[in-house]
Every structure is written in structure tokens, then in C-alpha cells.
């Protein structure tokens, strides 16, 4: 199993992290639109992403600025809701929050750029998926973080193994020891403690890959690979399952799984906590929340 | 507007707080079953509450014990989901959490008993509602807390005024200054900060009514009145609206409102934080979450 014959996903080598994340948003949304148009549906047209640019108020007292671009597909054929958010923001962490952040001893200033996505497919046999890669700088440090993880409603061992393998492949190009660590971190992080269950079947999660010496290019290359490899792997899984027949029972299981997803994101998610602590954009933060879900 | 002619809701005067909360659960569930059977519905039978007793493991290392009884009506005619939880638990707060709790300087031990309910009506014209009253003791202090608040999807000024008036009436019997304070506290507490909006139209919220000198009976009497007055007022509002015709648009507004409700509860709610910090019963804690909701 290898992705060497996958169709080429190319983005300029010259790009800075923020340019690259913004460009990746286009690459991903195009591929998702393509997938969405591949099946028939009696009630829905092929989905299209709507892009919304947002800007932080530059005159607020925290001195926040920057903005982002949210891309959301609603009511597609394969995807009931698919959100891909790009952000590039500067600001100051609240003092208490800054204490937990590397490099914030002398200043609460930060810059953050990244891409974050969650897809909620219509068909319960197509897994929910999440990917995020980001580059953060504070006065004293700068680092990359990210990850990708799969949340099937109706799990297939084959898909899980395929996704894990794809993630291992990309980690191995960066550091042969990375995969084991990043996979464990993922299982730990996406754990719904109060329910004693993981959010999904895992993937990878990593943070604090600090820029030190001349490693910037390696870390950035790894970040890029995670984004593209995720897309190749998920596209393959979605295509494998999007024709699967389903009924009320699977739909019900999907609503429950989605509510667990919302629970995790609202109670534990670091990205949402980060957003709530930094006047984040609500639409971007909550883009991951399911279109329709239920706790019963 | 007065409730003096409302039908009598009587519970023994002799009861301790925990006996009273448990008994109130029966009074409320009976009244809600009655309301649910008053309308016709082509697809649903009159709803009945299912009661589930739960017990904390007595052998866990925190020395937790006690338990509770959850009553849930599902798929009723008026109520799509109605949950009423009674709990009576003892345990130890996690050390960090205990620092914020009155009377926990020397010991992290606590007892907590109370009733908590949330109703999610089927008809978007019948408001969502929440009520909670509780009695907490720690080594050094004991206090009552509680409140009731209304979350209409389609607000009627008349209902809002009626509910506020009912809450004022009960506060006035306790302390003429209480209502203003408890109403403001409610608006402050049920505020979805990240959205800049309140969860609903308010009601009352109070906490730390400390038992001091000989005021136990007054505080307990107020607690009882809140529970019964809430029921009278809400029953009247539900009956006023449960025949209202509605369509897809109102249903959609309801799903959105319910998702805001879930957001508040998962991100901010004190009861849920308390539960997450004290090995609380998941079913009881998350009983308030909507049967079906959506972020789109």
C-alpha cells in the first residue's frame, strides 16, 4: 500500500507557512468538491464550498489583528457539511493563558497561522474526519503542530489500517520514531474522559515541534506532507464507502456519534479553548460542529 | 396574575432536603405526563417517564458513594425529551477544584443533593426550560442554590413576563430584595460569552445561600417554593402553546436554538463542570442535551 501513484497534489515550494496553508485550503476544497460530484443523489446537487473572508477588528484593546478564510460546503451529496478554515492571526494571549504557552515569559504576543478541517459526510459509512496543521510564534519560540484523525460511525478495520498506514508513511519521512509517539498522543488527546471512550479510531497528533537550528525546512516539509497525505488517504476511503447503502439504524448511530464529537470539541478541544481565549472567530471555531446530531 | 388558585402541589413538610428533592421528582414527572397526554399526535403515544436508579461505586479510591434516580421521557407528544434527575451523593472534590469551594479548607469532602431538569418540547412554540435546586455541604459550610430559566425558540413577551412574574412572586416570599439580584445573576450566568447572547430569556439563578444561625427552614422553604412555582408557571405556558401550528422554518430555528443550548451546557455550565470534576453520572449530567439539534 503506497501513495506513490496517487494523483499529484502540488503547491509552490516557495510559499511561507501562511501562504501554504491558504493554498492547501484551495487544493482540499477542490478535491472535496470533485468527490461530492461523483455520486448521484435524488435530493441534492453536488456541493460547492462557500468562501468567507473574515478580519479581526484592529482597534480592540488587545491589539489583535489578522483574519482568515472559512470554506464551508453545506448539503452536498457525499458531504452534509464540510468545513475548511484557514487563519492567520496576531494578538496577545490573556495573561493567565500565556503562562502555559512556550516563549511567553516576557510577552503575551503571538502569531498563529494554520488550516483546520472537519468533514461530516451524509452516509454513515463514510467516516467523519479532522485535520489540522499550524505554525505558532511567540516572542521566545516558534513551533509547528497538527494531526489528522478518523471517526467512523461504522468502522471497517481495512479503512482504519489504511489511514494509520498513510499516517505512518508520512511520519516516517520526517523521523522514524515519530509515528509511534504521534499515534499515542492522538489516542490520548482525542479521549472523551467522562465517557471512557476515544472520539474515533485515531491517527496522529503532535505539537511543539520547535524551530531550532536549521530544522525549519524539515518541520515545514513534514507539515505540508501531513496535509496532502491526509487528503490522499481520506479521499480513497470516502470513495470506497460513498455508495454503501444505509437505513435509519445507521443514521441514528451517526447522530449519536456526531453528538459525541460535539461533546469532545466543546468540552476538551484545544483549538476551541485557544479560540475562546483569544477572541477567535466563532464560525471558524465551531465549523467542526455537526449539521444535525442527537443525544438520544 | 397569581398562582393562588393553581392546583395544590403538596409534599410532606417533614422531609429532609434529599427526601424532598426525590419526592419533587415524582410530583414533576406526574404533572409532565399529564400535560403530555393532553394533546393528540398522529405518530406518538402519550409519553411516560422511565426511572433509572444509579449508584456510585463505593470502592473507588476517592471514597465516593451515594447515587440518584434519573427520570427520562422520550418521544412524548408535547415533550420530545424531558429529563428530571434526582441525586444524593457524597465524595471528595479533586484538590484543585476544592480550592474554589466554600468550607473546603481542611477537607475536600462534600455531600450534594438536588434535582435538575431540562425539557425539550417537540413544538417550537413551547419553550425549553431548566430548573435546578440543590443543597451542598462541605466540612465547613452548607448552602442552597438553584434557579429556573426559560428558553423559548419563538418568544412571546406574554410568556416571558408571566414566567418572570412567577419567579418574582416566589423570591418575594423569601426576601423582597432577592428577585432583582437573582434575575441579574441568571442573565449573567446563562450568557453564551463567545456568541454575545443569552441562552434564553432568563429567570432566576442563585447560589451560596449559606445556612447560618436558624435560617435553615427559611432557605429550605424557599427552595421548595422555587421547585413548585416553576412547575405551575411552566405548565401554564406549555398548555398555552402546545396546540400552536408550526412548520419547517420553526423546526429549523428550534434545532439551532437547541445547539446553542448544548454549547452553553458543554462549555460553561457549572453543574456539568461539577459533575466532570466529581466522577458524576454521565446520564444525569448530559440529560439536558437535546434529542436532536443542529449547528446549521
Amino acid at each position: 500500500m503506497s501513495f506513490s501513484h496517487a494523483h499529484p497534489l502540488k503547491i509552490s515550494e516557495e510559499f511561507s507557512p501562511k501562504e501554504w496553508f491558504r493554498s492547501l485550503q484551495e487544493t482540499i476544497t477542490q478535491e472535496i468538491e470533485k468527490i461530492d460530484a461523483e455520486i448521484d443523489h435524488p435530493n441534492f446537487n453536488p456541493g460547492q464550498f462557500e468562501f468567507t473572508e473574515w478580519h479581526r477588528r484592529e482597534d480592540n484593546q488587545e491589539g489583535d489583528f489578522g483574519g482568515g478564510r472559512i470554506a464551508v460546503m453545506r448539503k452536498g451529496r457525499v458531504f452534509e457539511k464540510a468545513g475548511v478554515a484557514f487563519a492567520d492571526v496576531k494578538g496577545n494571549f490573556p495573561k493567565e493563558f500565556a503562562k502555559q504557552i512556550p516563549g511567553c515569559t516576557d510577552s503575551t504576543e503571538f502569531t498563529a497561522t494554520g488550516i483546520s478541517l472537519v468533514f461530516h459526510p451524509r452516509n454513515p459509512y463514510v467516516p467523519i474526519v479532522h485535520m489540522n496543521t499550524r505554525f505558532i510564534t511567540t516572542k521566545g519560540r516558534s513551533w509547528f503542530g497538527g494531526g489528522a484523525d478518523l471517526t467512523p460511525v461504522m468502522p471497517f478495520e481495512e479503512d482504519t489500517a489504511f489511514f494509520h498506514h498513510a499516517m505512518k508513511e508520512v511520519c516516517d519521512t520526517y523521523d522514524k520514531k515519530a509515528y509511534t509517539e504521534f499515534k499515542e498522543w492522538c489516542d490520548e488527546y482525542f479521549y472523551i474522559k467522562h465517557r471512557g471512550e476515544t472520539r474515533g479510531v485515531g491517527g496522529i497528533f503532535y505539537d511543539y515541534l520547535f524551530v531550532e537550528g536549521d530544522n525549519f525546512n524539515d518541520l515545514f516539509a513534514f507539515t505540508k506532507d501531513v496535509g496532502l497525505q491526509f487528503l490522499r488517504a481520506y479521499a480513497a476511503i470516502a470513495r470506497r464507502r460513498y455508495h454503501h447503502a444505509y437505513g435509519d439504524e445507521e443514521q441514528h448511530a451517526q447522530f449519536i456519534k456526531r453528538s459525541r464529537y460535539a461533546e469532545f470539541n466543546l468540552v476538551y478541544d484545544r483549538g476551541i479553548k485557544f479560540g475562546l481565549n483569544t477572541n477567535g472567530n466563532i464560525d471558524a471555531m465551531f465549523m467542526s460542529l455537526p449539521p444535525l446530531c442527537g443525544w438520544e
Side-chain angles (χ1 to χ4, degrees), chain A:
Chain A
M1 184 162 46
S2 163
F3 292 100
S4 52
H5 299 291
H7 73 104
L9 295 162
K10 276 219 169 279
I11 299 176
S12 166
E13 292 292 318
E14 304 298 307
F15 280 168
S16 68
K18 81 172 173 189
E19 290 165 330
W20 202 88
F21 290 133
R22 194 175 165 97
S23 176
L24 180 62
Q25 187 190 39
E26 276 154 34
T27 303
I28 291 173
T29 52
Q30 280 163 22
E31 180 71 10
I32 293 302
E33 284 186 357
K34 198 171 153 210
I35 294 172
D36 205 75
E38 287 170 7
I39 67 165
D40 290 326
H41 198 292
N43 304 324
F44 299 99
N45 291 322
Q48 299 217 303
F49 279 91
E50 270 182 40
F51 286 76
T52 312
E53 299 266 355
W54 59 273
H55 302 275
R56 308 181 96 189
R57 285 173 49 202
E58 296 197 18
D59 57 348
N60 76 0
Q61 54 185 7
E62 287 85 15
D64 301 331
F65 58 105
R69 187 173 61 175
I70 302 170
V72 182
M73 174 192 288
R74 292 183 176 85
K75 300 187 182 171
R77 289 179 167 177
V78 175
F79 299 99
E80 194 171 332
K81 181 183 176 188
V84 188
F86 157 76
D88 174 43
V89 296
K90 298 187 186 197
N92 279 281
F93 293 122
K95 273 192 184 159
E96 274 308 302
F97 188 69
K99 287 180 188 168
Q100 314 157 31
I101 309 285
C104 282
T105 324
D106 299 331
S107 163
T108 57
E109 275 177 44
F110 73 93
T111 73
T113 182
I115 186 168
S116 173
L117 65 84
V118 172
F119 301 156
H120 288 288
R122 197 175 286 288
N123 187 323
Y125 286 94
V126 181
I128 305 166
V129 76
H130 160 252
M131 190 276 288
N132 162 239
T133 47
R134 56 191 178 273
F135 179 58
I136 316 274
T137 61
T138 58
K139 206 81 183 168
R141 308 298 301 260
S142 63
W143 66 94
F144 288 91
D149 68 290
L150 201 67
T151 304
V153 178
M154 305 282 156
F156 292 88
E157 269 182 45
E158 187 191 343
D159 294 350
T160 303
F162 180 81
F163 190 79
H164 287 321
H165 180 84
M167 291 301 111
K168 180 174 187 307
E169 210 173 61
V170 68
C171 288
D172 283 352
T173 63
Y174 162 65
D175 179 342
K176 291 282 179 200
K177 288 172 296 186
Y179 178 66
T180 311
E181 185 193 338
F182 296 171
K183 181 178 188 300
E184 270 174 30
W185 200 343
C186 185
D187 289 339
E188 256 170 53
Y189 180 74
F190 293 107
Y191 184 66
I192 307 175
K193 195 183 151 205
H194 58 268
R195 296 202 179 265
E197 64 190 43
T198 55
R199 186 173 79 169
V201 298
I204 57 170
F205 182 94
Y206 58 95
D207 206 354
Y208 308 122
L209 300 187
F210 290 109
V211 176
E212 280 160 346
D214 59 359
N215 72 351
F216 178 85
N217 286 339
D218 288 348
L219 297 180
F220 188 24
F222 172 58
T223 297
K224 295 180 196 174
D225 284 347
V226 168
L228 296 176
Q229 179 81 334
F230 144 79
L231 183 56
R232 290 184 200 105
Y234 182 71
I237 293 169
R239 288 183 165 115
R240 230 181 248 168
R241 305 298 167 197
Y242 60 25
H243 285 301
H244 206 296
Y246 66 95
D248 285 351
E249 204 170 314
E250 291 99 326
Q251 177 91 77
H252 182 250
Q254 185 189 50
F255 283 179
I256 296 292
K257 197 74 186 173
R258 286 178 177 179
S259 75
R260 299 282 184 278
Y261 211 86
E263 253 176 49
F264 176 85
N265 289 14
L266 292 170
V267 177
Y268 301 110
D269 188 69
R270 202 182 279 208
I272 287 185
K273 281 208 167 57
F274 184 94
L276 290 171
N277 274 298
T278 54
N279 303 319
N281 181 282
I282 292 296
D283 294 331
M285 275 154 59
F286 287 177
M287 187 195 67
S288 64
L289 296 176
L292 203 61
C293 72
W295 270 271
E296 282 305 317

